[in-house]
Amino acid sequence: MDGADDPGEIVNESLDLGYATLDLDRARRQGVAEVVYAPGKTTAEITGIVTALLAAGAGPVLVTRLDRAVDVPGGAYDAAARVMVWRPAATRSVDVAVVTAGTADGPVAAEAAAVAAAIGLRVREIRDVGVAGLHRVLARTGELRAADIVVVVAGMEGALASVVAGLVAAPVIAVPTSTGYGAALDGVTALLAMLSSCANGVTVVNIDSGFSAAMAAHRLAMTIEAARR
Amino acid sequence: MDGADDPGEIVNESLDLGYATLDLDRARRQGVAEVVYAPGKTTAEITGIVTALLAAGAGPVLVTRLDRAVDVPGGAYDAAARVMVWRPAATRSVDVAVVTAGTADGPVAAEAAAVAAAIGLRVREIRDVGVAGLHRVLARTGELRAADIVVVVAGMEGALASVVAGLVAAPVIAVPTSTGYGAALDGVTALLAMLSSCANGVTVVNIDSGFSAAMAAHRLAMTIEAARR
Amino acid sequence: MDGADDPGEIVNESLDLGYATLDLDRARRQGVAEVVYAPGKTTAEITGIVTALLAAGAGPVLVTRLDRAVDVPGGAYDAAARVMVWRPAATRSVDVAVVTAGTADGPVAAEAAAVAAAIGLRVREIRDVGVAGLHRVLARTGELRAADIVVVVAGMEGALASVVAGLVAAPVIAVPTSTGYGAALDGVTALLAMLSSCANGVTVVNIDSGFSAAMAAHRLAMTIEAARR
Amino acid sequence: MDGADDPGEIVNESLDLGYATLDLDRARRQGVAEVVYAPGKTTAEITGIVTALLAAGAGPVLVTRLDRAVDVPGGAYDAAARVMVWRPAATRSVDVAVVTAGTADGPVAAEAAAVAAAIGLRVREIRDVGVAGLHRVLARTGELRAADIVVVVAGMEGALASVVAGLVAAPVIAVPTSTGYGAALDGVTALLAMLSSCANGVTVVNIDSGFSAAMAAHRLAMTIEAARR
Amino acid sequence: MDGADDPGEIVNESLDLGYATLDLDRARRQGVAEVVYAPGKTTAEITGIVTALLAAGAGPVLVTRLDRAVDVPGGAYDAAARVMVWRPAATRSVDVAVVTAGTADGPVAAEAAAVAAAIGLRVREIRDVGVAGLHRVLARTGELRAADIVVVVAGMEGALASVVAGLVAAPVIAVPTSTGYGAALDGVTALLAMLSSCANGVTVVNIDSGFSAAMAAHRLAMTIEAARR
Amino acid sequence: MDGADDPGEIVNESLDLGYATLDLDRARRQGVAEVVYAPGKTTAEITGIVTALLAAGAGPVLVTRLDRAVDVPGGAYDAAARVMVWRPAATRSVDVAVVTAGTADGPVAAEAAAVAAAIGLRVREIRDVGVAGLHRVLARTGELRAADIVVVVAGMEGALASVVAGLVAAPVIAVPTSTGYGAALDGVTALLAMLSSCANGVTVVNIDSGFSAAMAAHRLAMTIEAARR
Amino acid sequence: MDGADDPGEIVNESLDLGYATLDLDRARRQGVAEVVYAPGKTTAEITGIVTALLAAGAGPVLVTRLDRAVDVPGGAYDAAARVMVWRPAATRSVDVAVVTAGTADGPVAAEAAAVAAAIGLRVREIRDVGVAGLHRVLARTGELRAADIVVVVAGMEGALASVVAGLVAAPVIAVPTSTGYGAALDGVTALLAMLSSCANGVTVVNIDSGFSAAMAAHRLAMTIEAARR
Amino acid sequence: MDGADDPGEIVNESLDLGYATLDLDRARRQGVAEVVYAPGKTTAEITGIVTALLAAGAGPVLVTRLDRAVDVPGGAYDAAARVMVWRPAATRSVDVAVVTAGTADGPVAAEAAAVAAAIGLRVREIRDVGVAGLHRVLARTGELRAADIVVVVAGMEGALASVVAGLVAAPVIAVPTSTGYGAALDGVTALLAMLSSCANGVTVVNIDSGFSAAMAAHRLAMTIEAARR
């Protein structure tokens, strides 16, 4: 922890496409290139950005929240996850468990899993093990404890995050979903509940953001890999 | 279910003390006299109301949220519960389990237990079995299943309500507490979470209201007792 | 209330359908099999789950919030309630009154009534007796007092819950509805108002959740039936 | 309704005291001089404003939310209402009923009653007739119907406003109070509930503002009196 | 103010249509029959209720928030107000000014005006006089002061209510509208602002509820008319 | 507008005091040194920071929200504004009008005025001209129009900001205050109302932040002064 | 700052079109005629208002939030900004930089830029320089410092406003956008964050209101231009 | 990731102290014994729990939010952090940087640092580098990049979390603080902003919870250490 205190190491790499200013230093700095968030962009803009990112680097390129495949060669579109990927990364030896409380949490978990897999993490999905039938999650305790990182995806009251965090020692990244109605407040209730968890050290990302959970897992994987070196 | 549709059965029994209009028909109608909520009343007013209620009926008289005993003969003051009781009811054969997630939920549970006991319910308290160490509540499953009614008292994310409701078949009355800070929003988070529980048929009362839980239990006990007759 | 404290009694019965992990122990544990919530599931998934539940047990199987009947033999679809039922339970001797404040509360009351009936409860519906014309509810006092359990369904300010709870001794389960606009905040106002009721012992379930009210009634009925034995 | 459209009729009467700019045209324009709100003002400032108002006109002068009497001759201090009055108005033939749901609503009702009386309205107070014991308010129906204006003061869920508005034809001014805790949200719940009332034509003023209710009643009285002429 | 305290005067007049329980005592009690709120009702239900109300009384019958005319003879449909009226009342000598801040507040003002006119109030509309160009409202001061009741319809920050209430002595009924976006919070900002008005005695009804304002005006008109007798 | 695009011009001037890292480049970059916010700092820390800032530059040094003077020579403490100033700036030819709606807004206006004066702006205070008596603000139109910048300080519904912004062409900086209670929501209502103003181009700063308004005025003064050169 | 205190200078110029009351004094008073906000107006109304404004003055006439061009000769429609302009103003020597954090903030920035340009301000757009890749905004520091006024358009957490305000001395007008989902709360999070900025003197306008930012810039430009004279 | 799916591995180790049920399996399961949260517990209870935990295991024992030292031998009390520690862990080779935006964030950072140090993490504190003077944090980029885990503690708008997360590749745990007033909403604004960060993979814990951040860091450290083996 004795890095040089040098603002000069801010690298001024960017590409102005007119409609976007790409951060071409991102992959060097954080291990993955900018991920393209599709909503609010035209197909032409998405195509242009993907093409530019493919040209600028060698690693994976991803688009999320994409309603249908765009026409850039070499990509694979995952409709359940609404994610499209070019040049997925080689598998890294970091295990992520993605756990859901109910069937309705599936699309968010799919996004988390697809993004994590595209950047090389090993993913195990454990579905529909909400706490109303506690034996379902208890039966998976072994799998959960075997993971390096656990992503818990849950809506309604989000209690699964607390229960899982009580069972494992690994980092728990909780993703509240907008599942449930009325008092579930479109995911705000699960968000607040996860932040207020009685289980120590649960961390939380934005509502329905499987992507954020995957990127948080990526940050940890970067540190784990550095630790192994 | 063929009661006479007669508004005439509205009984016009009340007593105007100037500072309060007592509902003297309450005990006949609902099995317990009006319970006195102390905040906002002077000691003289509390004393006056208690004296009037003792004179008007034969059953238990209670004051809740009372900071110190008032001087009306025959009462017993419970400091932990902040409840004072005159003429507690004889024990009824209805079992209520009062469960807490953490030590900080204690005062609310104490109020629920004291009120329930004063009106004759049999109370078993199960303390500090929050889901972060799940084995604690699992170890009490038998006791929980033996109860006719389960009151779950929990703050923070309130996950214990969902877990307990998944384990038992009996009615679950969830009491959110103002335990926790920041995103716990003084109990609002637990309240919303309990209302959004993935476990079926959980019912919820107001934040920190052990009293409401006890009275909801009383309503059910009235029905159980009627069923036994 | 001397149950064995044995976590070993957690029964590990579940069925992994890939898209769902069914809790096959639910009917044994709580008297009714898992109820299927249709939104977010494909027709194929609903059909698959219903078929599996029918195969795994002998009791009623229900789907709620279903927009049209699915093609599994033996089911009856109730369009007003948006509920489909297979193998409804025999009638149990527990009476539930379902009361609404206004016409717009009808669909939520219909769900509560349909689910309650499917699991064997005897239901009496009392419609459109909001407090703006108080004589309407007063005229039904006899019917309300004859019920073992009262479900009050109301939107806007939800005042009917307080009025009914003041008239009867039985358990009152309040269901706020998203009726009303502006300051009614899609049911949040009725929810908060019911939780703040001046009538003792009112319990509350999630906004528009007739289903939750019916399941809470089921829990009460389980206890009442146990008491009769 | 054919008033002259003349902005020139804006009368430029004001008095700059340095710490305050008094609107000396208020009594001419609206029938009552500016009422002094004590919080945030020093005793010297209150004394100065009262003295100036007494000098500038001939009608009643009032200070609200005043913790103790100030030293300006001729005033009467009402501790329960926290109101001090100089030169109260002669009684006007307009009847206002001020109704409360519970004892804790008393101080707000006292402020409404004291201000209304000081400006000449005839006030009848009806206390502690909340809807949990409905016969209490029904017993007062005659008195309520005899009033020209009804002010309903209630906290918690505020249901009394809807019930009273269903019983009377007169204007109903609802005052939510900060009574109740937790889900009562310091009066916000009663406020929202009163605004969402199923009874037609209920109007609402700010939380705990007995003063606003009295001034709204004053506006109504101005119109009633004009109608009589 | 010496009415008989007799709950017996609750008149038990209602009509059960199956889908609705009509309060047939409403016109006697409050001067106008129940007004039908169209949303959530089928055309057949609306037709049935209107027919029943026409048969049960002799006064005006109204439907609000109606998207197109229903087929019951004798009605007039006002598309701007979305109100349909049968047997409008004769004109009463009570003047109501309906003022708007901007063009977008028009539909809410139209509802207020249509309902008020249908029940016999004399309406003057003053449009688009928001405070950003203050001379517009100042130019109408004479008309405003000539009214018995002033209804102020405004969205965004709702400042017009305070300004008008400072200019007139008559009752001011403020109607917040859902005009504006972002921080206007669909009318909640205007609602809160109007409740917090620095002008004394402003009363407020629900967001976008021109109907409530008209009914509040009706209550006042009842009292004015009684005063004249 | 053709500045050199050079991140190298980020100047790395800071001073680490252990408990604080002072931005010594601030005065060069923005015309005023860091202003010290007292809450949460010990007297020793405040003294240390002030001493360091006095040593590091030549311009004014300020502490805000200070309950009593600290012992550093050369400072002047303004108790009404709770501001202490060393080396106030020479007067600059920029006029700022600070207008309040009511007496209770005084402390916030005092902070705005004191900070503005300390950094050399010419301040005119216009007090207590809320819109309930509109003639008060109209009488000051000339003064308002003579200012280069108008700061409007108002609580409750904040309507004064809209009215003033409709009268003047200059920049209007609105400061909501936590004046008012209940629905005023501790200033949130005024904040939302000011952001939703129907008058064009009103800008808003944080609740009760007279300081922020003064600094926003300072930014504008910097531009005005540059324009004059 | 010694303007005549004369309310007589309120000029009573307005034009009643029936559906709107135009403030014809606006251009004289504030330098730009009323800008027409299209939502909620019919095409005929928009056409009528534009025609009247063109006839009444000589300066620019604008319509915002317009989905397609209206048929009034001489106008230019900007689809990206959804703004239509007649008689744009000659260029004034005031420079405004409009900066966005991401591509999704584009439409709001386009509205700000189009309105600013139409009223004669010189606009430089700097796109997609959010803080996640800080070098992007640092690279534009020179351009930012060359502007007289900086408008920062950002959604999500809105951090760009604080960073830019720390880099420049000029006035910063922050526009929160409804970009982002879940905890971004449709722009409320960015709004609150900008209001709470640790950078001094940031001012804020309503969510997504590029128009308000442009008008605030216009007010600043009026003052700057006056200063130059 | 092929753990045995065995709920039997739930270990039933707990100790019932009457006022608390200690989870004695916690250290085995998660590497650290239960940490005692002092608020709501008596000194005797804290002493009892600490004594029991010291007896039951060999690792560190901690009490947080403790206002003064308790009398159990061997403990060290840190007043700034309000943490007391017995048997601190040996230093582990995991580096945590704890960064604050301002001086007022100090106590929360101190709690994070004290807890992290007590469980053996190596902590580097970087204080008062908020984004208003961006060069302060840029100057520390090297230190930040040298850490395995970065904890960012910030109130107000919380922008520092986004800026730091854009600079480093390691996991970022953001702790919102209740610093700031008004629109900062006691930390809710920073919380929402951090959850909405434009920088990828930021995770968030509860407001003011330095403890949660330390425990999240501990979970990460457990995984890093496992990876090294």
Side-chain angles (χ1 to χ4, degrees), chain C residues 47-151:
Chain C
T47 301
I49 293 172
V50 167
T51 303
L53 290 172
L54 287 169
V61 171
L62 291 86
V63 183
T64 63
R65 302 289 163 110
L66 185 68
D67 287 330
R68 68 183 59 84
V70 291
D71 189 19
V72 177
Y77 179 66
D78 177 338
R82 298 172 62 204
V83 168
M84 190 160 179
V85 181
W86 289 259
R87 298 190 314 220
T91 303
R92 298 149 74 182
S93 59
V94 174
D95 292 310
V96 179
V98 176
V99 196
T100 61
T103 304
D105 303 316
V108 175
E111 184 184 72
V115 172
I119 58 179
L121 305 178
R122 289 198 301 239
V123 177
R124 174 171 294 201
E125 292 194 63
I126 299 176
R127 292 194 190 82
D128 194 18
V129 294
V131 303
L134 202 59
H135 53 91
R136 292 181 299 190
V137 65
L138 293 179
R140 313 300 284 269
T141 305
E143 287 170 82
L144 290 166
R145 289 188 177 160
D148 294 309
I149 303 163
V150 181
V151 173

Side-chain angles (χ1 to χ4, degrees), chain C residues 130-134 137-138 155-159 162-163 165-167 181-185 188-189 191-200, chain D residues 130-134 137-138 155-159 162-163 165-167 181-185 188-189 191-200:
Chain C
V131 303
L134 202 59
V137 65
L138 293 179
M156 299 183 177
E157 89 285 44
S162 294
V163 167
L167 293 173
Y181 51 136
L185 298 178
V188 170
T189 294
L191 175 69
L192 293 169
M194 287 163 163
L195 286 161
S196 303
S197 176
C198 62
N200 295 335
Chain D
V131 305
L134 201 59
V137 66
L138 293 179
M156 299 181 176
E157 90 284 44
S162 294
V163 166
L167 293 174
Y181 52 155
L185 298 178
V188 170
T189 294
L191 175 70
L192 294 169
M194 287 163 164
L195 287 160
S196 303
S197 177
C198 61
N200 294 336

Side-chain angles (χ1 to χ4, degrees), chain G residues 126-211:
Chain G
I126 299 176
R127 290 191 191 87
D128 194 18
V129 294
V131 304
L134 201 59
H135 54 90
R136 292 180 300 189
V137 66
L138 294 179
R140 314 298 286 268
T141 305
E143 286 170 84
L144 289 166
R145 288 188 177 161
D148 295 309
I149 302 163
V150 181
V151 172
V152 180
V153 181
M156 300 181 175
E157 89 284 43
L160 186 62
S162 294
V163 166
V164 167
L167 293 173
V168 307
V172 173
I173 302 165
V175 189
T177 71
S178 52
T179 303
Y181 51 164
L185 298 177
D186 292 327
V188 170
T189 294
L191 174 69
L192 294 169
M194 287 163 164
L195 286 160
S196 302
S197 176
C198 61
N200 294 336
V202 173
T203 60
V204 186
V205 297
N206 203 347
I207 298 166
D208 287 339
S209 190
F211 168 69

Side-chain angles (χ1 to χ4, degrees), chain B residues 190-214:
Chain B
L191 175 69
L192 293 169
M194 287 163 164
L195 286 161
S196 302
S197 176
C198 62
N200 294 335
V202 173
T203 60
V204 185
V205 296
N206 203 347
I207 297 166
D208 287 339
S209 190
F211 167 69
S212 291

Side-chain angles (χ1 to χ4, degrees), chain F residues 14 148 162:
Chain F
S14 64
D148 295 309
S162 294

Side-chain angles (χ1 to χ4, degrees), chain B residues 167-227:
Chain B
L167 293 174
V168 306
V172 174
I173 301 165
V175 189
T177 71
S178 52
T179 303
Y181 52 134
L185 298 178
D186 293 327
V188 170
T189 294
L191 175 69
L192 293 169
M194 287 163 164
L195 286 161
S196 302
S197 176
C198 62
N200 294 335
V202 173
T203 60
V204 185
V205 296
N206 203 347
I207 297 166
D208 287 339
S209 190
F211 167 69
S212 291
M215 294 311 287
H218 167 69
R219 284 180 181 270
L220 176 56
M222 297 280 285
T223 292
I224 291 172
E225 288 162 349

